[in-house]
Amino acid sequence: MKKLHFREYFENYLYDLQDFISIYEGHLHVFNYQKLIKLSENEIILQMINKEINIKGQYLKIKQMTKQELLIMGNIMKVEFNYDK
Amino acid sequence: MTNKIVWVKFYDNNYYKILLKLNSIDVNIYNNIQKDNSVLVQINYEDYKKIKKYLISYKTEIVEVSGILKIKQMLKKYFVFLVTIIISIMLLLIVNKMVFKIDIKSNNHSIQTLLKKELEKNGLTIFKLKKSHSKIEKIVDKILEDNKDVLEWLEIKYDGLIMVVNVTEKTIIKEEEKHDYCHIVANRDAKILSLNIYRGVALKEVNDYVLKGDTILSGDITFNEEVKNQVCASGEVYGEVWYKVKVTVPFVETSIKYTGKNRYNINIKYNDHTYPILKSRIDKRKEEEINIYKLNDFEINIVKEKEYEEINKTLSEKEAYDKALDLVTNKINLKLNKDESILLKKVLKKEVNNSKIYLEVFVITKENIGMVKVIEKEL
Protein backbone atom coordinates (compact mmCIF):
# COMPACT_ATOMS: atom_id res chain seq x y z
CA MET A 1 0.00 0.00 0.00
CA LYS A 2 1.99 2.96 1.29
CA LYS A 3 5.56 3.19 0.01
CA LEU A 4 8.12 3.54 2.73
CA HIS A 5 10.87 5.40 0.83
CA PHE A 6 13.64 4.36 3.19
CA ARG A 7 16.30 5.71 0.89
CA GLU A 8 14.75 9.17 0.72
CA TYR A 9 14.19 9.36 4.46
CA PHE A 10 17.76 8.29 5.06
CA GLU A 11 19.07 10.89 2.65
CA ASN A 12 16.89 13.53 4.21
CA TYR A 13 18.22 12.57 7.63
CA LEU A 14 21.82 12.77 6.40
CA TYR A 15 21.43 15.98 4.44
CA ASP A 16 18.97 17.49 6.89
CA LEU A 17 16.68 18.66 4.11
CA GLN A 18 13.41 20.40 4.86
CA ASP A 19 11.82 18.96 1.77
CA PHE A 20 12.77 17.22 -1.44
CA ILE A 21 11.41 15.96 -4.72
CA SER A 22 12.44 12.84 -6.62
CA ILE A 23 11.71 12.44 -10.30
CA TYR A 24 11.43 9.01 -11.88
CA GLU A 25 10.20 7.83 -15.27
CA GLY A 26 6.57 9.05 -15.36
CA HIS A 27 6.50 9.68 -11.60
CA LEU A 28 7.35 12.51 -9.28
CA HIS A 29 7.62 12.09 -5.55
CA VAL A 30 7.34 15.14 -3.28
CA PHE A 31 8.22 15.00 0.39
CA ASN A 32 7.07 17.52 3.00
CA TYR A 33 4.80 19.72 0.94
CA GLN A 34 2.70 22.28 2.77
CA LYS A 35 -0.33 22.67 0.59
CA LEU A 36 -1.80 21.49 -2.67
CA ILE A 37 -2.69 24.76 -4.35
CA LYS A 38 -3.76 23.64 -7.79
CA LEU A 39 -4.56 20.30 -9.26
CA SER A 40 -5.48 19.79 -12.89
CA GLU A 41 -4.69 17.51 -15.81
CA ASN A 42 -1.89 19.77 -17.05
CA GLU A 43 -0.64 21.58 -13.97
CA ILE A 44 -0.07 20.93 -10.29
CA ILE A 45 1.07 23.68 -7.94
CA LEU A 46 2.44 22.81 -4.54
CA GLN A 47 3.32 25.13 -1.67
CA MET A 48 6.59 24.07 0.00
CA ILE A 49 8.20 25.60 3.11
CA ASN A 50 10.08 28.40 1.33
CA LYS A 51 9.02 28.05 -2.28
CA GLU A 52 6.32 27.02 -4.68
CA ILE A 53 6.70 24.12 -7.10
CA ASN A 54 4.90 24.28 -10.39
CA ILE A 55 4.67 20.92 -12.19
CA LYS A 56 3.53 21.02 -15.81
CA GLY A 57 2.72 18.07 -18.04
CA GLN A 58 -0.03 15.94 -19.54
CA TYR A 59 -2.48 13.49 -17.99
CA LEU A 60 -1.22 14.35 -14.53
CA LYS A 61 -2.75 12.37 -11.71
CA ILE A 62 -2.12 11.81 -8.04
CA LYS A 63 -1.34 8.18 -7.35
CA GLN A 64 -0.85 8.45 -3.59
CA MET A 65 -1.37 11.29 -1.17
CA THR A 66 -0.68 11.77 2.55
CA LYS A 67 -0.27 14.86 4.73
CA GLN A 68 3.43 15.08 3.88
CA GLU A 69 3.93 13.20 0.66
CA LEU A 70 2.59 13.13 -2.85
CA LEU A 71 3.21 10.69 -5.65
CA ILE A 72 2.32 12.23 -8.98
CA MET A 73 2.17 10.27 -12.21
CA GLY A 74 1.75 11.30 -15.84
CA ASN A 75 3.84 12.89 -18.58
CA ILE A 76 5.92 15.35 -16.55
CA MET A 77 7.34 17.98 -18.89
CA LYS A 78 8.47 20.82 -16.66
CA VAL A 79 9.13 21.47 -12.95
CA GLU A 80 9.52 25.10 -11.85
CA PHE A 81 10.64 26.44 -8.50
CA ASN A 82 9.40 29.83 -7.46
CA TYR A 83 11.24 31.25 -4.44
CA ASP A 84 9.35 34.53 -4.43
CA LYS A 85 6.30 33.08 -2.81
CA MET B 1 -12.51 -1.45 11.90
CA THR B 2 -10.23 1.52 12.63
CA ASN B 3 -7.21 0.26 10.64
CA LYS B 4 -9.28 -1.15 7.85
CA ILE B 5 -8.50 0.08 4.36
CA VAL B 6 -11.60 0.58 2.24
CA TRP B 7 -12.45 1.56 -1.28
CA VAL B 8 -14.82 4.52 -1.41
CA LYS B 9 -16.79 5.40 -4.51
CA PHE B 10 -17.57 9.04 -5.30
CA TYR B 11 -20.54 9.39 -7.64
CA ASP B 12 -18.95 12.37 -9.39
CA ASN B 13 -16.61 12.48 -12.38
CA ASN B 14 -14.55 15.53 -11.38
CA TYR B 15 -11.42 13.66 -10.38
CA TYR B 16 -9.21 16.71 -9.66
CA LYS B 17 -11.81 18.51 -7.59
CA ILE B 18 -12.43 15.44 -5.46
CA LEU B 19 -8.71 14.97 -4.79
CA LEU B 20 -8.29 18.61 -3.88
CA LYS B 21 -11.18 18.35 -1.46
CA LEU B 22 -9.75 15.22 0.07
CA ASN B 23 -6.38 16.93 0.42
CA SER B 24 -8.01 19.85 2.15
CA ILE B 25 -9.45 17.63 4.86
CA ASP B 26 -6.18 15.65 5.26
CA VAL B 27 -7.33 12.34 3.88
CA ASN B 28 -4.56 9.91 3.02
CA ILE B 29 -5.06 8.26 -0.35
CA TYR B 30 -3.30 4.96 -1.00
CA ASN B 31 -4.67 4.34 -4.46
CA ASN B 32 -7.31 5.74 -6.77
CA ILE B 33 -9.09 4.91 -10.00
CA GLN B 34 -10.87 7.30 -12.30
CA LYS B 35 -13.94 5.87 -14.00
CA ASP B 36 -16.46 7.34 -16.45
CA ASN B 37 -18.97 8.58 -13.92
CA SER B 38 -17.22 7.95 -10.65
CA VAL B 39 -13.92 8.06 -8.79
CA LEU B 40 -12.68 5.26 -6.54
CA VAL B 41 -10.25 6.08 -3.74
CA GLN B 42 -8.57 3.72 -1.34
CA ILE B 43 -8.44 5.23 2.14
CA ASN B 44 -8.60 4.40 5.85
CA TYR B 45 -12.00 3.76 7.31
CA GLU B 46 -11.35 6.59 9.81
CA ASP B 47 -10.86 8.99 6.89
CA TYR B 48 -14.14 7.80 5.39
CA LYS B 49 -15.84 9.14 8.53
CA LYS B 50 -14.24 12.53 7.80
CA ILE B 51 -15.61 12.45 4.25
CA LYS B 52 -19.06 11.69 5.57
CA LYS B 53 -18.74 14.60 7.99
CA TYR B 54 -17.18 17.30 5.79
CA LEU B 55 -17.93 16.41 2.17
CA ILE B 56 -21.66 16.05 2.55
CA SER B 57 -22.41 17.36 -0.92
CA TYR B 58 -20.80 14.26 -2.46
CA LYS B 59 -22.63 11.00 -2.75
CA THR B 60 -20.24 8.32 -1.52
CA GLU B 61 -20.29 4.71 -0.41
CA ILE B 62 -17.88 1.97 0.55
CA VAL B 63 -17.60 -0.54 -2.26
CA GLU B 64 -16.22 -4.01 -2.50
CA VAL B 65 -13.78 -4.16 -5.37
CA SER B 66 -14.20 -7.00 -7.82
CA GLY B 67 -12.70 -8.44 -10.96
CA ILE B 68 -9.03 -8.11 -11.85
CA LEU B 69 -8.46 -5.40 -9.23
CA LYS B 70 -9.65 -7.68 -6.46
CA ILE B 71 -7.51 -10.55 -7.76
CA LYS B 72 -4.53 -8.20 -7.89
CA GLN B 73 -5.20 -7.03 -4.33
CA MET B 74 -5.59 -10.57 -3.05
CA LEU B 75 -2.39 -11.64 -4.80
CA LYS B 76 -0.56 -8.67 -3.33
CA LYS B 77 -1.93 -9.32 0.15
CA TYR B 78 -1.30 -13.05 0.20
CA PHE B 79 1.72 -13.18 -2.09
CA VAL B 80 4.17 -14.66 0.44
CA PHE B 81 1.56 -17.10 1.71
CA LEU B 82 0.62 -18.24 -1.80
CA VAL B 83 4.24 -18.64 -2.87
CA THR B 84 4.92 -20.67 0.30
CA ILE B 85 1.90 -22.88 -0.33
CA ILE B 86 2.84 -23.44 -3.99
CA ILE B 87 6.45 -24.30 -3.11
CA SER B 88 5.25 -26.61 -0.30
CA ILE B 89 2.84 -28.42 -2.63
CA MET B 90 5.55 -28.80 -5.26
CA LEU B 91 7.97 -30.15 -2.68
CA LEU B 92 5.31 -32.49 -1.34
CA LEU B 93 4.54 -33.78 -4.82
CA ILE B 94 8.22 -34.32 -5.58
CA VAL B 95 8.85 -36.03 -2.24
CA ASN B 96 5.75 -38.17 -2.75
CA LYS B 97 7.15 -39.45 -6.03
CA MET B 98 10.41 -40.52 -4.39
CA VAL B 99 11.45 -43.77 -2.74
CA PHE B 100 12.87 -43.44 0.76
CA LYS B 101 13.15 -47.07 1.77
CA ILE B 102 13.43 -50.46 0.08
CA ASP B 103 11.84 -53.33 1.98
CA ILE B 104 12.84 -56.76 0.68
CA LYS B 105 10.52 -59.38 2.17
CA SER B 106 12.93 -62.27 2.55
CA ASN B 107 14.72 -63.79 5.50
CA ASN B 108 17.46 -65.19 3.29
CA HIS B 109 20.44 -62.87 3.50
CA SER B 110 21.93 -63.99 0.18
CA ILE B 111 18.61 -63.34 -1.60
CA GLN B 112 18.46 -59.87 0.00
CA THR B 113 22.00 -59.06 -1.17
CA LEU B 114 21.30 -60.41 -4.65
CA LEU B 115 18.10 -58.37 -4.99
CA LYS B 116 19.75 -55.19 -3.69
CA LYS B 117 22.43 -55.52 -6.38
CA GLU B 118 19.89 -56.29 -9.09
CA LEU B 119 17.66 -53.36 -8.09
CA GLU B 120 20.64 -51.01 -8.03
CA LYS B 121 21.72 -52.27 -11.45
CA ASN B 122 18.25 -51.43 -12.80
CA GLY B 123 18.14 -47.97 -11.25
CA LEU B 124 15.86 -48.77 -8.32
CA THR B 125 17.54 -47.14 -5.33
CA ILE B 126 16.46 -44.87 -2.53
CA PHE B 127 16.11 -41.09 -3.07
CA LYS B 128 15.16 -41.67 -6.70
CA LEU B 129 11.84 -41.06 -8.38
CA LYS B 130 9.36 -43.92 -8.59
CA LYS B 131 9.13 -45.75 -11.90
CA SER B 132 5.97 -46.47 -13.87
CA HIS B 133 4.17 -49.79 -13.60
CA SER B 134 5.25 -50.91 -17.09
CA LYS B 135 8.91 -50.15 -16.38
CA ILE B 136 8.71 -52.02 -13.08
CA GLU B 137 7.21 -55.04 -14.89
CA LYS B 138 10.08 -55.03 -17.39
CA ILE B 139 12.64 -54.83 -14.58
CA VAL B 140 10.92 -57.71 -12.72
CA ASP B 141 10.99 -59.86 -15.87
CA LYS B 142 14.66 -59.04 -16.42
CA ILE B 143 15.65 -59.87 -12.82
CA LEU B 144 13.70 -63.14 -12.95
CA GLU B 145 15.30 -64.05 -16.28
CA ASP B 146 18.80 -63.30 -15.00
CA ASN B 147 18.26 -65.27 -11.79
CA LYS B 148 15.92 -68.03 -12.89
CA ASP B 149 17.86 -70.66 -10.91
CA VAL B 150 17.39 -68.77 -7.65
CA LEU B 151 14.15 -66.84 -7.92
CA GLU B 152 10.72 -68.34 -8.45
CA TRP B 153 8.55 -65.21 -8.26
CA LEU B 154 9.15 -61.52 -7.76
CA GLU B 155 6.87 -58.54 -7.18
CA ILE B 156 7.82 -54.89 -6.76
CA LYS B 157 5.20 -52.42 -5.54
CA TYR B 158 5.08 -49.04 -3.84
CA ASP B 159 3.51 -48.54 -0.43
CA GLY B 160 3.66 -44.79 0.15
CA LEU B 161 7.33 -43.87 0.08
CA ILE B 162 8.49 -47.46 0.58
CA MET B 163 9.30 -49.83 -2.24
CA VAL B 164 8.17 -53.30 -1.17
CA VAL B 165 9.86 -56.26 -2.85
CA ASN B 166 8.06 -59.59 -2.39
CA VAL B 167 10.09 -62.60 -3.45
CA THR B 168 9.75 -66.37 -3.51
CA GLU B 169 12.89 -68.44 -3.71
CA LYS B 170 13.13 -71.45 -5.99
CA THR B 171 12.97 -74.54 -3.80
CA ILE B 172 12.60 -78.23 -4.47
CA ILE B 173 9.22 -79.19 -3.21
CA LYS B 174 9.38 -82.32 -1.14
CA GLU B 175 6.51 -84.71 -1.48
CA GLU B 176 4.31 -84.87 1.52
CA GLU B 177 5.45 -87.66 3.75
CA LYS B 178 2.96 -90.44 3.93
CA HIS B 179 2.52 -92.23 7.17
CA ASP B 180 3.01 -95.98 7.17
CA TYR B 181 1.34 -96.78 10.43
CA CYS B 182 -1.30 -94.77 12.26
CA HIS B 183 -4.55 -94.99 14.26
CA ILE B 184 -7.57 -92.74 14.30
CA VAL B 185 -8.18 -91.65 17.90
CA ALA B 186 -10.86 -89.50 19.56
CA ASN B 187 -9.82 -85.86 19.94
CA ARG B 188 -12.42 -85.24 22.71
CA ASP B 189 -14.97 -87.06 24.88
CA ALA B 190 -18.00 -87.95 22.74
CA LYS B 191 -20.64 -90.47 21.68
CA ILE B 192 -20.04 -91.89 18.21
CA LEU B 193 -22.80 -90.98 15.75
CA SER B 194 -21.36 -92.26 12.47
CA LEU B 195 -18.31 -94.19 11.32
CA ASN B 196 -16.97 -94.33 7.75
CA ILE B 197 -13.95 -96.61 7.49
CA TYR B 198 -11.62 -96.26 4.49
CA ARG B 199 -8.71 -98.27 5.89
CA GLY B 200 -8.04 -100.06 9.21
CA VAL B 201 -10.12 -101.91 11.78
CA ALA B 202 -12.91 -100.32 13.86
CA LEU B 203 -12.45 -100.84 17.58
CA LYS B 204 -15.60 -98.86 18.47
CA GLU B 205 -19.13 -98.88 17.14
CA VAL B 206 -21.86 -96.30 16.59
CA ASN B 207 -23.43 -95.16 19.94
CA ASP B 208 -20.25 -96.12 21.85
CA TYR B 209 -18.93 -93.50 24.27
CA VAL B 210 -15.27 -92.60 23.80
CA LEU B 211 -12.85 -90.59 25.88
CA LYS B 212 -10.23 -88.27 24.47
CA GLY B 213 -7.32 -90.40 23.15
CA ASP B 214 -9.32 -93.63 22.77
CA THR B 215 -8.47 -95.48 19.54
CA ILE B 216 -11.51 -95.68 17.23
CA LEU B 217 -9.89 -97.04 14.07
CA SER B 218 -6.78 -99.14 14.42
CA GLY B 219 -4.00 -99.54 11.84
CA ASP B 220 -3.34 -103.10 13.05
CA ILE B 221 -4.84 -105.69 10.71
CA THR B 222 -5.31 -108.76 12.85
CA PHE B 223 -6.29 -112.32 12.14
CA ASN B 224 -6.83 -114.80 14.92
CA GLU B 225 -5.69 -112.21 17.44
CA GLU B 226 -2.39 -111.95 15.63
CA VAL B 227 -1.26 -108.72 13.91
CA LYS B 228 -0.79 -109.62 10.28
CA ASN B 229 -0.19 -106.13 8.84
CA GLN B 230 0.19 -102.52 9.99
CA VAL B 231 -1.39 -99.74 7.91
CA CYS B 232 -2.28 -96.10 8.35
CA ALA B 233 -5.95 -96.12 9.35
CA SER B 234 -8.22 -93.61 7.71
CA GLY B 235 -11.88 -92.76 7.99
CA GLU B 236 -14.44 -90.23 9.15
CA VAL B 237 -15.79 -90.37 12.68
CA TYR B 238 -18.60 -88.03 13.75
CA GLY B 239 -19.73 -87.87 17.34
CA GLU B 240 -21.99 -86.07 19.80
CA VAL B 241 -20.04 -83.52 21.79
CA TRP B 242 -21.45 -81.75 24.84
CA TYR B 243 -20.91 -78.19 25.97
CA LYS B 244 -22.15 -76.08 28.86
CA VAL B 245 -22.32 -72.42 27.80
CA LYS B 246 -22.88 -69.49 30.19
CA VAL B 247 -24.17 -66.21 28.82
CA THR B 248 -25.39 -62.89 30.29
CA VAL B 249 -27.46 -60.28 28.41
CA PRO B 250 -28.30 -56.81 29.84
CA PHE B 251 -31.87 -55.53 29.44
CA VAL B 252 -30.68 -52.12 28.27
CA GLU B 253 -29.08 -52.27 24.86
CA THR B 254 -27.15 -49.29 23.51
CA SER B 255 -26.96 -48.77 19.77
CA ILE B 256 -25.45 -46.03 17.63
CA LYS B 257 -27.31 -43.86 15.12
CA TYR B 258 -25.47 -41.45 12.82
CA THR B 259 -27.00 -37.96 12.72
CA GLY B 260 -25.63 -37.18 9.25
CA LYS B 261 -23.54 -34.28 10.56
CA ASN B 262 -19.95 -34.62 9.38
CA ARG B 263 -16.87 -32.49 9.97
CA TYR B 264 -13.43 -32.72 8.39
CA ASN B 265 -10.13 -32.34 10.18
CA ILE B 266 -6.46 -33.04 9.54
CA ASN B 267 -4.27 -35.00 11.88
CA ILE B 268 -0.58 -35.67 12.04
CA LYS B 269 0.63 -38.98 13.39
CA TYR B 270 4.14 -39.43 14.61
CA ASN B 271 5.56 -42.20 16.80
CA ASP B 272 2.12 -43.57 17.72
CA HIS B 273 0.94 -40.12 18.81
CA THR B 274 -1.88 -38.34 17.00
CA TYR B 275 -1.98 -34.57 16.78
CA PRO B 276 -5.22 -33.11 15.37
CA ILE B 277 -4.81 -29.72 13.67
CA LEU B 278 -8.25 -28.39 14.56
CA LYS B 279 -10.20 -28.88 17.74
CA SER B 280 -13.15 -31.17 17.10
CA ARG B 281 -16.57 -29.65 17.59
CA ILE B 282 -18.32 -33.02 17.73
CA ASP B 283 -18.42 -34.75 21.11
CA LYS B 284 -19.64 -38.19 20.08
CA ARG B 285 -18.01 -39.11 16.82
CA LYS B 286 -16.55 -41.93 14.78
CA GLU B 287 -13.52 -41.11 12.72
CA GLU B 288 -12.52 -42.31 9.26
CA GLU B 289 -9.00 -41.52 8.13
CA ILE B 290 -7.74 -41.04 4.57
CA ASN B 291 -3.98 -41.01 4.34
CA ILE B 292 -2.55 -38.25 2.15
CA TYR B 293 1.11 -38.47 3.09
CA LYS B 294 3.28 -41.09 4.75
CA LEU B 295 6.98 -41.20 5.46
CA ASN B 296 8.09 -43.94 7.85
CA ASP B 297 6.38 -43.11 11.19
CA PHE B 298 5.18 -39.70 9.99
CA GLU B 299 1.66 -39.52 8.57
CA ILE B 300 -0.75 -36.80 7.51
CA ASN B 301 -4.40 -37.82 7.31
CA ILE B 302 -7.68 -36.22 6.41
CA VAL B 303 -10.18 -37.19 9.10
CA LYS B 304 -13.89 -37.45 8.49
CA GLU B 305 -15.67 -37.08 11.83
CA LYS B 306 -19.18 -38.53 11.80
CA GLU B 307 -21.45 -37.50 14.63
CA TYR B 308 -23.62 -40.15 16.25
CA GLU B 309 -26.08 -40.41 19.07
CA GLU B 310 -26.50 -43.30 21.44
CA ILE B 311 -29.94 -44.84 21.58
CA ASN B 312 -30.82 -46.95 24.59
CA LYS B 313 -33.34 -49.69 23.94
CA THR B 314 -34.86 -51.63 26.82
CA LEU B 315 -35.42 -55.31 26.00
CA SER B 316 -38.28 -57.34 27.40
CA GLU B 317 -37.42 -60.55 29.27
CA LYS B 318 -38.38 -62.63 26.24
CA GLU B 319 -36.28 -60.53 23.86
CA ALA B 320 -33.27 -60.76 26.19
CA TYR B 321 -33.83 -64.55 26.53
CA ASP B 322 -33.95 -64.99 22.71
CA LYS B 323 -30.88 -62.83 22.30
CA ALA B 324 -28.98 -64.90 24.88
CA LEU B 325 -29.86 -68.11 23.00
CA ASP B 326 -28.71 -66.51 19.73
CA LEU B 327 -25.42 -65.60 21.38
CA VAL B 328 -24.99 -69.23 22.48
CA THR B 329 -25.65 -70.44 18.92
CA ASN B 330 -23.17 -67.94 17.46
CA LYS B 331 -20.54 -68.85 20.03
CA ILE B 332 -20.82 -72.58 19.25
CA ASN B 333 -21.03 -72.05 15.48
CA LEU B 334 -17.65 -70.34 15.57
CA LYS B 335 -16.09 -73.68 16.56
CA LEU B 336 -17.91 -75.77 13.96
CA ASN B 337 -16.81 -76.63 10.45
CA LYS B 338 -18.91 -77.09 7.34
CA ASP B 339 -20.20 -80.61 8.04
CA GLU B 340 -20.70 -80.05 11.75
CA SER B 341 -23.91 -78.79 13.38
CA ILE B 342 -25.79 -78.08 16.61
CA LEU B 343 -28.15 -80.96 17.51
CA LEU B 344 -29.71 -79.67 20.72
CA LYS B 345 -29.87 -76.67 23.05
CA LYS B 346 -31.36 -76.96 26.53
CA VAL B 347 -31.49 -74.23 29.16
CA LEU B 348 -30.22 -75.64 32.47
CA LYS B 349 -30.36 -72.50 34.56
CA LYS B 350 -32.04 -69.09 34.17
CA GLU B 351 -31.55 -66.14 36.50
CA VAL B 352 -33.23 -62.74 36.00
CA ASN B 353 -32.52 -59.58 37.97
CA ASN B 354 -33.30 -55.90 37.37
CA SER B 355 -30.60 -55.28 34.83
CA LYS B 356 -29.73 -58.59 33.14
CA ILE B 357 -30.61 -62.17 32.34
CA TYR B 358 -28.20 -65.06 32.98
CA LEU B 359 -28.48 -68.40 31.17
CA GLU B 360 -26.62 -71.66 31.47
CA VAL B 361 -27.25 -73.71 28.33
CA PHE B 362 -26.41 -77.32 27.58
CA VAL B 363 -25.54 -77.81 23.90
CA ILE B 364 -25.05 -81.01 21.93
CA THR B 365 -23.19 -80.80 18.62
CA LYS B 366 -22.28 -83.17 15.85
CA GLU B 367 -18.54 -82.89 15.20
CA ASN B 368 -15.70 -84.71 13.52
CA ILE B 369 -13.92 -86.32 16.46
CA GLY B 370 -11.31 -88.38 14.58
CA MET B 371 -7.64 -87.47 14.78
CA VAL B 372 -4.65 -89.22 13.17
CA LYS B 373 -2.14 -90.63 15.66
CA VAL B 374 1.11 -91.68 13.97
CA ILE B 375 2.83 -94.74 15.48
CA GLU B 376 6.50 -95.51 14.97
CA LYS B 377 6.94 -99.02 13.57
CA GLU B 378 8.99 -101.38 15.71
CA LEU B 379 11.95 -102.78 13.79
Side-chain angles (χ1 to χ4, degrees):
Chain A
M1 295 289 177
K2 191 183 172 186
K3 290 189 178 175
L4 295 172
H5 305 290
F6 283 122
R7 190 171 151 265
E8 288 87 345
Y9 285 128
F10 191 61
E11 277 180 2
N12 189 33
Y13 173 77
L14 287 177
Y15 298 125
D16 196 22
L17 297 171
Q18 285 180 320
D19 49 47
F20 65 84
I21 64 165
S22 313
I23 301 173
Y24 311 97
E25 181 67 38
H27 287 81
L28 190 144
H29 172 230
V30 184
F31 177 74
N32 215 8
Y33 73 97
Q34 299 292 298
K35 195 181 172 188
L36 180 60
I37 298 169
K38 188 183 176 186
L39 176 61
S40 71
E41 197 178 357
N42 302 314
E43 188 178 24
I44 295 171
I45 301 173
L46 296 170
Q47 176 67 58
M48 307 300 278
I49 291 168
N50 55 358
K51 58 184 174 285
E52 226 177 63
I53 298 176
N54 195 343
I55 302 150
K56 286 183 179 169
Q58 290 175 323
Y59 315 114
L60 297 177
K61 275 188 179 181
I62 287 178
K63 183 73 183 166
Q64 287 187 5
M65 180 173 77
T66 66
K67 280 180 193 175
Q68 283 191 307
E69 289 177 85
L70 267 182
L71 183 65
I72 298 162
M73 57 183 276
N75 291 337
I76 296 152
M77 298 163 87
K78 195 174 177 184
V79 181
E80 286 177 359
F81 297 90
N82 188 350
Y83 287 91
D84 297 338
K85 302 278 174 174
Chain B
M1 199 75 180
T2 50
N3 293 323
K4 195 180 170 187
I5 306 285
V6 291
W7 279 93
V8 175
K9 188 174 187 177
F10 282 78
Y11 290 93
D12 193 310
N13 60 359
N14 196 334
Y15 171 82
Y16 298 99
K17 196 176 169 190
I18 290 167
L19 261 71
L20 267 172
K21 288 274 183 191
L22 291 174
N23 181 260
S24 67
I25 57 168
D26 290 339
V27 171
N28 293 337
I29 299 171
Y30 305 119
N31 200 355
N32 62 77
I33 300 163
Q34 188 179 9
K35 293 197 168 183
D36 290 343
N37 294 314
S38 61
V39 176
L40 282 166
V41 289
Q42 196 182 32
I43 57 173
N44 278 324
Y45 183 74
E46 285 300 308
D47 285 339
Y48 177 65
K49 287 180 185 170
K50 275 192 213 170
I51 293 170
K52 282 301 214 190
K53 192 175 176 183
Y54 299 115
L55 305 182
I56 49 172
S57 61
Y58 286 97
K59 190 188 170 193
T60 58
E61 67 170 355
I62 294 175
V63 289
E64 188 64 39
V65 287
S66 58
I68 294 169
L69 195 64
K70 186 168 186 180
I71 294 168
K72 271 186 184 174
Q73 270 192 4
M74 294 287 281
L75 283 174
K76 208 171 173 183
K77 195 174 174 184
Y78 299 111
F79 180 73
V80 177
F81 177 73
L82 284 171
V83 168
T84 313
I85 290 286
I86 289 166
I87 292 172
S88 306
I89 289 170
M90 281 168 71
L91 275 174
L92 197 70
L93 288 174
I94 292 167
V95 167
N96 230 353
K97 293 275 175 197
M98 285 175 80
V99 175
F100 283 82
K101 192 181 170 189
I102 296 173
D103 187 11
I104 299 170
K105 303 275 187 195
S106 172
N107 295 327
N108 190 332
H109 184 70
S110 60
I111 291 289
Q112 282 190 352
T113 316
L114 172 83
L115 280 173
K116 270 181 196 170
K117 278 184 187 170
E118 286 290 341
L119 292 173
E120 208 168 302
K121 207 163 79 181
N122 289 287
L124 295 174
T125 54
I126 56 168
F127 304 125
K128 282 202 173 174
L129 291 175
K130 292 173 186 174
K131 291 196 186 297
S132 66
H133 184 68
S134 56
K135 278 187 182 173
I136 289 285
E137 273 189 348
K138 279 180 191 169
I139 291 169
V140 166
D141 290 344
K142 190 172 177 290
I143 294 173
L144 282 175
E145 183 61 34
D146 293 348
N147 302 278
K148 55 187 172 190
D149 298 336
V150 190
L151 303 176
E152 178 74 35
W153 173 79
L154 182 69
E155 183 195 45
I156 299 173
K157 59 182 182 180
Y158 295 110
D159 182 14
L161 305 179
I162 303 168
M163 188 169 79
V164 182
V165 182
N166 292 313
V167 61
T168 308
E169 294 170 50
K170 200 161 241 180
T171 48
I172 300 158
I173 302 160
K174 289 180 186 173
E175 275 189 32
E176 199 180 317
E177 213 172 294
K178 285 182 180 172
H179 306 299
D180 290 335
Y181 180 36
C182 64
H183 299 321
I184 298 287
V185 298
N187 60 11
R188 66 198 77 180
D189 297 355
K191 181 187 163 191
I192 296 172
L193 286 175
S194 68
L195 204 53
N196 291 327
I197 308 158
Y198 305 135
R199 197 187 297 130
V201 178
L203 301 183
K204 302 284 181 186
E205 291 178 5
V206 172
N207 291 330
D208 279 357
Y209 288 90
V210 288
L211 296 173
K212 186 179 178 182
D214 283 357
T215 305
I216 302 168
L217 295 177
S218 172
D220 293 331
I221 310 294
T222 54
F223 184 73
N224 287 339
E225 295 183 356
E226 193 184 329
V227 178
K228 294 290 181 186
N229 195 9
Q230 289 177 325
V231 296
C232 187
S234 75
E236 278 181 345
V237 185
Y238 282 92
E240 263 184 26
V241 183
W242 314 284
Y243 295 97
K244 199 191 268 183
V245 185
K246 295 169 185 174
V247 65
T248 306
V249 171
F251 286 122
V252 178
E253 194 180 63
T254 305
S255 63
I256 283 172
K257 188 188 171 192
Y258 289 103
T259 61
K261 187 179 170 185
N262 300 324
R263 289 279 181 275
Y264 289 89
N265 199 347
I266 293 174
N267 73 24
I268 294 169
K269 284 186 180 178
Y270 183 65
N271 272 350
D272 298 332
H273 291 285
T274 306
Y275 307 97
I277 300 291
L278 304 170
K279 192 185 171 188
S280 180
R281 286 174 287 168
I282 300 174
D283 294 332
K284 288 179 181 176
R285 61 185 183 274
K286 287 232 168 181
E287 295 181 348
E288 285 175 13
E289 288 182 353
I290 303 162
N291 183 261
I292 52 170
Y293 182 74
K294 190 178 178 185
L295 173 60
N296 297 335
D297 290 342
F298 181 81
E299 276 182 41
I300 302 175
N301 301 300
I302 292 176
V303 185
K304 186 180 182 184
E305 297 172 346
K306 295 159 79 176
E307 189 186 56
Y308 68 84
E309 54 188 25
E310 285 175 352
I311 297 166
N312 288 333
K313 186 188 169 191
T314 308
L315 301 176
S316 66
E317 191 184 321
K318 189 182 178 305
E319 283 172 332
Y321 180 85
D322 290 344
K323 196 179 174 191
L325 284 180
D326 286 345
L327 281 174
V328 171
T329 308
N330 292 339
K331 210 171 174 178
I332 294 293
N333 276 337
L334 285 174
K335 294 183 177 184
L336 301 181
N337 292 326
K338 197 181 163 189
D339 298 328
E340 300 170 340
S341 59
I342 294 172
L343 299 176
L344 177 85
K345 280 186 290 185
K346 192 174 181 182
V347 178
L348 298 177
K349 195 175 173 185
K350 177 182 159 189
E351 280 176 17
V352 179
N353 64 24
N354 287 338
S355 63
K356 60 192 175 187
I357 185 167
Y358 168 81
L359 293 186
E360 219 173 89
V361 186
F362 178 70
V363 183
I364 299 175
T365 60
K366 178 191 167 191
E367 291 180 41
N368 188 346
I369 57 165
M371 181 178 78
V372 176
K373 185 183 176 186
V374 180
I375 314 289
E376 289 296 321
K377 270 187 178 177
E378 287 175 20
L379 295 170

